[in-house]
């Protein structure tokens, strides 16, 4: 038995490598078994207010699930007489489901008593767990609480293959669901899936469509939405050029007509610290510019973002304490109308003439109806003068042009030709 145990443990260490860890103090070990999943396998978690899921369903597609952990210890008379003592733990299988798997492992031992059985156990858990428990996509994991009498308070939600029934199952003491809540389960699933995807990505070879060189995945990066892959060297140069030009919203996939954008974490990984600080600052500023309730302090030496209170036109800078009007950006003037410069007055007239009724009411309230009306009259008068008069070449006074007259006299008695 001793020799058979040693040979089996050495074989398992050779086959499963990092997934198998031999115990130091006892004749046993731990195997972390990743279950084979079909493509596009969906995990579904129903909204539950007690789990901070805000009554909304959570759904995600995964390629990997956290492993089933088989801890075992080999008795002295294994494999000739006694089976291995073991526990089976998982984060995404309920205790009822794990108990059913424990029972099947017992059956496998009974069918192969006298022979080494650990490899058969591990292969079953890896290749047949989903089919044996009749788990299909979308799969909704359950966290089942144990009643004082040792039974499961919830029924198994899936029909079980073989001799298992849908009746309430007695929980096996060797079955352990190693998770506290559904919300923590979601985090565990997403983190493990992402880590395993990165591990697979880093071990493969990809062609960079910028430099057309083949590089191993650890030297490459892919855009999350489109999955297009480029080497980190090319993306680093691409990101640096865009950030230096201030184009922080243009860090998209270089593939033509692809709109996938790089995440801040990807940018931080590739560019230098000072350049990322510029990227972060410009990205924040552009986000603030798109927020209707945020204005910048008008002082050129400050420019600190200021939150604008609803229905209030006064902003107070938290950095320099400058109180200003959020409309005209001048010193706060209370209920007085905003003052308008000559240049602004022309733009205001054009804006008013092209505006709808709601915008006109807003402009009247902001600048005053009399100010806008006077500006419109002045603009109309100026247009009439430019069309129907000519300035006196001596004093500049505007003289009405009439087709029947060839010479005109201005108010200062200067005589000039209206056609010259």
């Amino acid at each position: 038995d001793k020799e058979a145990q040693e040979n089996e443990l050495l074989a398992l260490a050779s086959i499963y490598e990092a997934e198998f860890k031999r115990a130091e103090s006892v004749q046993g070990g731990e195997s972390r078994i990743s279950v084979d999943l079909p493509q596009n396998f969906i995990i579904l978690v129903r909204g539950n207010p007690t789990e901070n899921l805000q009554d909304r369903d959570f759904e995600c597609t995964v390629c990997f699930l956290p492993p089933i952990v088989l801890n075992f210890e080999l008795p002295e008379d294994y494999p000739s007489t006694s089976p291995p003592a073991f526990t089976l733990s998982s984060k995404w299988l309920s205790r009822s489901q794990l108990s059913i798997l424990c029972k099947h492992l017992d059956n496998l031992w009974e069918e192969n008593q006298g022979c080494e059985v650990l490899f058969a156990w591990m292969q079953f858990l890896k290749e047949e767990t989903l089919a044996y428990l009749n788990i299909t996509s979308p799969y909704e994991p359950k966290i089942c609480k144990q009643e004082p009498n040792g039974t499961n308070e919830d029924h198994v939600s899936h029909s079980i293959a073989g001799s298992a029934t849908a009746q309430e199952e007695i929980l096996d003491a060797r079955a352990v669901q190693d998770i506290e809540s559904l919300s923590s389960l979601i985090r565990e699933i997403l983190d493990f899936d992402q880590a395993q995807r990165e591990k697979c990505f880093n071990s493969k070879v990809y062609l960079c469509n910028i430099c057309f060189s083949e590089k191993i995945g650890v030297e490459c990066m892919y855009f999350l939405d489109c999955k297009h892959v480029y080497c980190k060297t090319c993306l680093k140069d691409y990101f640096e050029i865009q950030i230096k030009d201030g184009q922080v919203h243009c860090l998209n996939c270089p593939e033509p007509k692809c709109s996938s954008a790089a995440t801040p974490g990807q940018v931080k990984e590739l560019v230098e610290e000072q350049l990322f600080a510029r990227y972060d600052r410009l990205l924040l500023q552009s986000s603030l510019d798109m927020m209707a309730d945020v204005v910048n302090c008008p002082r050129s030496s400050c420019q600190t973002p200021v939150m604008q209170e609803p229905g209030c036109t006064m902003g107070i800078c938290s950095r320099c304490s400058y109180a200003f009007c959020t409309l005209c950006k001048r010193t706060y003037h209370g209920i007085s109308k905003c003052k308008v410069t000559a240049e602004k007055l022309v733009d205001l007239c054009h804006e008013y003439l092209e505006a709808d009724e709601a915008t006109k009411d807003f402009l009247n309230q902001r600048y005053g109806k009399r100010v806008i009306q006077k500006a419109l009259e002045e603009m109309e008068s100026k247009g009439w003068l430019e069309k129907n008069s000519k300035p006196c070449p001596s004093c500049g006074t505007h003289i009405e042009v009439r087709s029947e007259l060839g010479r005109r006299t201005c108010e200062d008695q200067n005589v000039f030709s209206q056609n010259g």
Side-chain angles (χ1 to χ4, degrees), residues 9 13 34 36 82 97 157-158 166 168 182 186 191 194 202 218 220 225 261 278 306 349 354 361 378 404 415:
L9 292 175
S34 296
D36 292 341
S82 300
Q97 293 168 315
S157 59
H158 305 279
E168 190 174 44
L182 285 175
I186 292 174
D191 290 346
Q194 180 63 28
N202 291 339
V218 72
C220 299
D225 293 334
R278 170 179 169 82
V306 177
C349 291
E354 296 174 359
D361 291 340
E378 290 180 355
E404 69 273 11
V415 179

Side-chain angles (χ1 to χ4, degrees), residues 157-415:
S157 59
H158 305 279
S159 59
I160 308 302
S163 62
T165 66
Q167 298 176 355
E168 190 174 44
E169 298 290 334
I170 301 298
L171 295 179
D172 195 310
R174 299 170 295 180
V176 180
Q177 186 173 29
D178 185 24
I179 201 68
E180 296 178 355
S181 64
L182 285 175
S183 56
S184 59
L185 175 60
I186 292 174
R187 290 192 298 269
E188 291 280 355
I189 290 176
L190 294 179
D191 290 346
F192 183 81
D193 182 61
Q194 180 63 28
Q196 292 300 110
R197 286 178 189 240
E198 290 181 2
K199 183 179 178 179
C200 292
F201 176 82
N202 291 339
S203 63
K204 296 180 180 180
V205 176
Y206 300 90
L207 175 67
C208 174
N209 286 331
I210 296 178
C211 64
F212 298 103
S213 300
E214 287 190 344
K215 296 188 178 181
I216 194 169
V218 72
E219 299 177 355
C220 299
M221 180 176 287
Y222 65 91
F223 287 80
L224 298 181
D225 293 334
C226 63
K227 308 302 181 185
H228 290 144
V229 180
Y230 304 91
C231 74
K232 292 181 178 180
T233 302
C234 291
L235 283 182
K236 180 178 183 295
D237 295 339
Y238 169 62
F239 287 169
E240 288 179 348
I241 292 173
Q242 296 285 28
I243 295 173
K244 288 177 181 178
D245 291 343
Q247 304 296 325
V248 294
H249 286 291
C250 295
L251 303 185
N252 294 337
C253 173
E255 186 74 15
K257 298 181 180 181
C258 184
S259 59
S260 298
T263 65
Q266 290 177 319
V267 178
K268 186 176 183 179
E269 181 181 344
L270 296 184
V271 304
E272 297 178 355
E273 184 176 352
Q274 290 184 347
L275 205 57
F276 179 77
R278 170 179 169 82
Y279 161 81
D280 196 38
R281 185 179 67 256
L282 293 177
L283 193 63
L284 174 61
Q285 185 60 52
S286 63
S287 299
L288 292 174
D289 290 343
M290 291 187 291
M291 298 174 64
D293 57 347
V294 175
V295 294
N296 289 335
C297 175
R299 287 181 169 173
S300 58
S301 59
C302 184
Q303 296 293 305
T304 301
V306 177
M307 292 293 295
Q308 181 180 355
E309 296 293 333
C312 180
T313 60
M314 181 177 70
I316 300 179
C317 179
S318 60
R319 181 181 177 187
C320 66
S321 301
Y322 177 53
F324 61 94
C325 173
T326 59
L327 299 176
C328 64
K329 305 299 187 294
R330 294 173 176 268
T331 302
Y332 185 65
H333 45 75
I335 61 174
S336 301
K337 304 300 180 182
C338 296
K339 294 182 179 179
V340 189
T341 61
E343 295 81 4
K344 176 66 176 177
L345 201 59
V346 176
D347 296 335
L348 177 60
C349 291
H350 291 296
E351 181 182 0
Y352 188 86
L353 291 174
E354 296 174 359
D356 54 24
E357 291 300 321
T359 306
K360 287 182 179 179
D361 291 340
F362 170 75
L363 294 175
N364 286 332
Q365 182 181 3
R366 176 177 174 180
Y367 298 104
K369 190 173 183 178
R370 293 182 60 185
V371 172
I372 294 179
Q373 192 64 35
K374 184 178 179 180
L376 291 174
E377 292 174 355
E378 290 180 355
M379 185 176 71
E380 186 177 357
S381 297
K382 184 177 180 180
W384 188 92
L385 289 174
E386 291 177 352
K387 183 179 180 181
N388 299 288
S389 69
K390 293 186 66 175
C392 172
S394 298
C395 66
T397 301
H398 283 273
I399 306 298
E400 182 180 1
V401 175
R402 296 182 181 178
S403 57
E404 69 273 11
L405 298 177
R407 299 172 63 85
R408 298 291 292 165
T409 303
C410 71
E411 294 179 354
D412 292 335
Q413 304 301 314
N414 293 314
V415 179

Side-chain angles (χ1 to χ4, degrees), residues 99-111:
S99 296
I100 293 167
L101 294 179
C102 289
K103 179 63 176 176
H104 186 69
L105 297 187
D106 291 337
N107 293 337
L108 288 177
W109 161 254
E110 293 176 2
E111 294 172 2

